[in-house]
Amino acid sequence: MSGSFSKTVVPAEQVGRTIVRIAHEILERNQDIGDLALVGILTRGAYLARRLASHMEEFAGQEVPVGELDISLYRDDVAARGSLTIRSKLTQPEVRGTNLPFNIDEKTIVLVDDVLFTGRTIRAAIDALFDYGRPSRIQLAVLVDRGHRELPIRPDFVGKNLPTSQDQRINVLLSEVDGADEIVLEAVQHE
Amino acid sequence: MNKHLLSINDLSRDEIESILTTAAKDFLELSKRDIKKVPTLRGRTVIDLFYEKSTRTSTSFELAGKRLSADVINVKAESSAVGKGESLKDTVLTLNAYNPDIIVIRHPHVGAPAFVARYTDAHVINAGDGKGGHPTQCLLDIFSLKQEYGELEGLKVAIVGDILHSRVARSNIAGFRKMGMEVTLVAPPSLLPRGVEALGADIAHGLDALADVDVVYLLRMQQERHADAGLMPSLREYIARYCVGRRHLGKGQRVLHPGPINRGVEIDAELADSPENLILQQVEAGLAVRMAIMYRIIVDAGADQAAAEGERDAAEAAEAGPEIKNIRAVG
């Protein structure tokens, strides 16, 4: 017998505050906002990047370019065990693809994703970015760091550190796609 | 997707939609970048095995493989050991010894791709087999129509010309119908295969029928396959009755052609140079669609294998008895 349980670990208002805090931190770290651009990893990273950008514009009074990055062609598990996630994405593929409406050369790019786990997605995203140009630096902002890194990758801006076990899942829900903001911990329970 | 792409009938409507979405979102964009390459099939080997002359299909498959970072080898029958009398079976067994991941085959005989699939572990993609079929052409044509018209359900298409010798017509009748389109075949009776009605298309003789459709799909007059069979009184008479020009088209009607075109035979020179034809868009679509097919055939196979292993692991775990695990909740 097995079932699954899920519980809210970060409620909506706290998600909003965390995003605001990350926006402040990005501005604090990067004095020259003119060189800055945000690139969100599809799907939820892209929504987060838009929110961060609008907060940053509000605080700094200057527009920050935002792009979206689809990393599916850069994954390291194509046709390997574990590519089931790709499969489920492919049978109902996203209609949105990469969209970088600005030149990334010599820019400071802040990659944005919802959950940092093994680090493989970020590795793929960095590879993808380099096919579009040569940014002067790349920083990483994530809403949740759940640990279990398999690559030497660390975030520059973290919303929440949530220690998890391997078979748990962290689901970030955002109002743009999911109706409401929430961070949920899900676990398969073996009885 | 299945292991191979031998016929358009191997794909469901949903699978076609999904492949074309991949092509539109990932691969059209790629062709517009400075760096037109992704690492997706790095280390994979693709063999393009062509037993017939081809420009666009072979260049398109070669470029598609290269832009996915696969190693691509082109084998052309005229410059290979086939000229020394090697059979198709032996050629395939030889190439299979290199452990290719995909073999793309173009062959003058119907069924050759299925035959190849028996002698290789690679995924086999049919790039045209005699009068049999040409599924990747069909997919790129559906893609081009989707890009131009958006919704395909109820779209009316006339396929005009040498249907008798056309593998493109055979695949496209099936593929267009599968996408909910209505197909009319327009040709002299001698250039229609016997029993073609069974494929679910209407039949018309003469270009008057073009008035009732949204799209005109022209086929090349395959004179090299006619072999003096007396199918037409003369080429001049065919041209007089069936050569399509701008004067035959209504407002908003677009023209497709799989190429190569014969100017002045099935399409007049003015139409061949007019923006009313989508011929070059079809070529561009061909590259994106073939990249999507190669990508999906490899990724889907990997996912199927992972699913099978997952099921086996689950079955083994069930046999081993229930395992008790503590889940640590995060506060």
Side-chain angles (χ1 to χ4, degrees):
Chain A
M1 291 285 283
S2 72
S4 70
F5 91 25
S6 66
K7 70 180 251 191
T8 302
V9 284
V10 183
E13 41 317 338
Q14 213 179 325
V15 172
R17 279 203 296 275
T18 305
I19 295 171
V20 169
R21 196 195 78 230
I22 297 174
H24 277 297
E25 286 179 5
I26 295 173
L27 288 172
E28 191 181 5
R29 178 88 62 90
N30 298 282
Q31 301 298 332
D32 196 351
I33 187 171
D35 289 341
L36 209 55
L38 301 183
V39 174
I41 298 171
L42 286 169
T43 313
R44 284 175 180 73
Y47 292 110
L48 284 173
R50 297 217 170 276
R51 278 207 220 174
L52 286 170
S54 77
H55 288 314
M56 288 162 66
E57 281 166 37
E58 199 182 307
F59 306 145
Q62 194 176 337
E63 202 174 315
V64 181
V66 190
E68 301 180 349
L69 196 62
D70 178 1
I71 54 108
S72 41
L73 299 175
Y74 291 83
R75 292 176 65 113
D76 60 8
D77 57 355
V78 169
R81 209 186 139 89
S83 57
L84 279 171
T85 45
I86 311 193
R87 162 66 150 256
S88 63
K89 277 185 192 155
L90 283 174
T91 41
Q92 289 172 324
E94 283 239 17
V95 188
R96 290 161 65 184
T98 294
N99 178 26
L100 296 173
F102 48 84
N103 188 344
I104 69 168
D105 288 342
E106 307 308 322
K107 282 246 167 28
T108 293
I109 300 293
V110 181
L111 270 176
V112 182
D113 205 0
D114 54 351
V115 180
L116 179 58
F117 181 32
T118 61
R120 287 174 192 271
T121 300
I122 304 306
R123 197 279 310 161
I126 294 171
D127 276 359
L129 272 183
F130 277 100
D131 279 355
Y132 288 91
R134 186 184 179 282
S136 60
R137 62 174 63 73
I138 298 178
Q139 298 171 351
L140 175 60
V142 297
L143 190 56
V144 177
D145 182 353
R146 60 165 291 196
H148 302 286
R149 213 79 74 245
E150 293 168 4
L151 297 172
I153 281 173
R154 52 152 191 83
D156 299 277
F157 311 101
V158 185
K160 293 274 164 201
N161 282 296
L162 295 175
T164 55
S165 70
Q166 282 278 1
D167 52 3
Q168 291 173 327
R169 282 173 57 111
I170 292 285
N171 294 326
V172 169
L173 309 182
L174 295 174
S175 57
E176 293 92 329
V177 252
D178 308 299
D181 290 350
E182 200 180 15
I183 300 174
V184 177
L185 175 81
E186 215 180 294
V188 180
Q189 214 159 18
H190 304 269
E191 286 171 34
Chain B
M1 275 183 90
N2 293 335
K3 170 156 184 163
H4 308 296
L5 178 56
L6 305 178
S7 156
I8 192 67
N9 297 318
D10 293 346
L11 298 172
S12 69
R13 180 172 178 163
D14 286 348
E15 282 175 311
I16 292 174
E17 298 270 11
S18 150
I19 291 167
L20 299 187
T21 305
T22 305
K25 131 186 126 113
D26 293 323
F27 298 120
L28 270 188
E29 183 262 348
L30 184 69
S31 296
K32 296 184 173 71
R33 289 197 214 165
D34 289 340
I35 297 181
K36 299 173 182 58
K37 204 178 183 73
V38 286
T40 320
L41 297 189
R42 193 169 61 88
R44 308 271 169 174
T45 303
V46 176
I47 298 180
D48 295 331
L49 179 55
F50 276 65
Y51 282 80
E52 275 184 0
K53 292 188 173 64
S54 164
T55 315
R56 85 211 65 228
T57 308
S58 75
T59 53
S60 156
F61 268 112
E62 180 177 357
L63 200 51
K66 286 180 169 169
R67 288 191 176 174
L68 288 166
S69 300
D71 296 309
V72 182
I73 302 167
N74 293 304
V75 181
K76 310 263 183 204
E78 60 258 41
S79 57
S80 69
V82 174
K84 298 179 183 172
E86 190 175 59
S87 72
L88 177 59
K89 176 180 165 181
D90 290 317
T91 302
V92 172
L93 288 174
T94 303
L95 296 173
N96 188 54
Y98 298 132
N99 294 307
D101 298 281
I102 297 176
I103 294 180
V104 177
I105 169 93
R106 154 76 59 97
H107 198 277
H109 292 131
V110 177
F115 179 85
V116 169
R118 279 162 52 193
Y119 297 104
T120 178
D121 307 314
H123 300 278
V124 176
I125 299 176
N126 180 0
D129 60 331
K131 288 191 255 179
H134 196 350
T136 65
Q137 176 73 44
C138 175
L139 290 171
L140 78 89
D141 289 333
I142 294 171
F143 184 84
S144 304
L145 289 171
K146 256 182 109 77
Q147 295 286 107
E148 181 71 19
Y149 291 89
E151 177 57 50
L152 298 183
E153 187 74 47
L155 198 70
K156 295 188 175 119
V157 186
I159 301 179
V160 186
D162 187 356
I163 288 155
L164 180 63
H165 298 98
S166 176
R167 54 187 167 225
V168 174
R170 282 167 180 78
S171 285
N172 283 8
I173 295 168
F176 290 170
R177 300 246 322 133
K178 194 172 283 203
M179 303 312 287
M181 292 155 65
E182 293 173 29
V183 181
T184 305
L185 305 176
V186 182
S190 61
L191 291 180
L192 284 166
R194 204 171 297 162
V196 72
E197 304 81 6
L199 297 176
D202 293 331
I203 310 280
H205 311 297
L207 294 181
D208 299 346
L210 301 191
D212 303 326
V213 300
D214 306 301
V215 184
V216 178
Y217 194 102
L218 298 178
L219 297 170
R220 185 174 65 87
M221 176 57 66
Q222 301 192 36
Q223 294 175 70
E224 76 279 11
R225 296 192 212 257
H226 285 205
D228 298 319
L231 295 169
M232 295 180 298
S234 73
L235 188 60
R236 185 181 293 181
E237 178 165 340
Y238 177 83
I239 292 168
R241 286 170 184 272
Y242 282 96
C243 179
V244 176
R246 293 184 67 192
R247 66 186 180 284
H248 297 106
L249 300 179
K251 200 165 181 288
Q253 249 180 353
R254 293 284 176 268
V255 175
L256 283 80
H257 191 305
I261 61 171
N262 283 176
R263 277 172 189 260
V265 181
E266 68 271 356
I267 182 168
D268 77 10
E270 187 198 13
L271 177 56
D273 294 324
S274 129
E276 281 153 339
N277 80 61
L278 304 179
I279 297 171
L280 295 179
Q281 286 94 313
Q282 286 174 277
V283 177
E284 192 186 1
L287 181 58
V289 167
R290 287 180 176 118
M291 288 180 80
I293 292 166
M294 289 203 251
Y295 171 54
R296 291 296 301 274
I297 218 166
I298 296 280
V299 170
D300 288 3
D304 285 342
Q305 196 185 338
E309 281 173 21
E311 271 169 33
R312 202 161 56 232
D313 289 351
E316 278 167 16
E319 257 172 53
E323 194 183 343
I324 297 163
K325 265 193 184 167
N326 286 324
I327 303 297
R328 186 162 49 93
V330 177

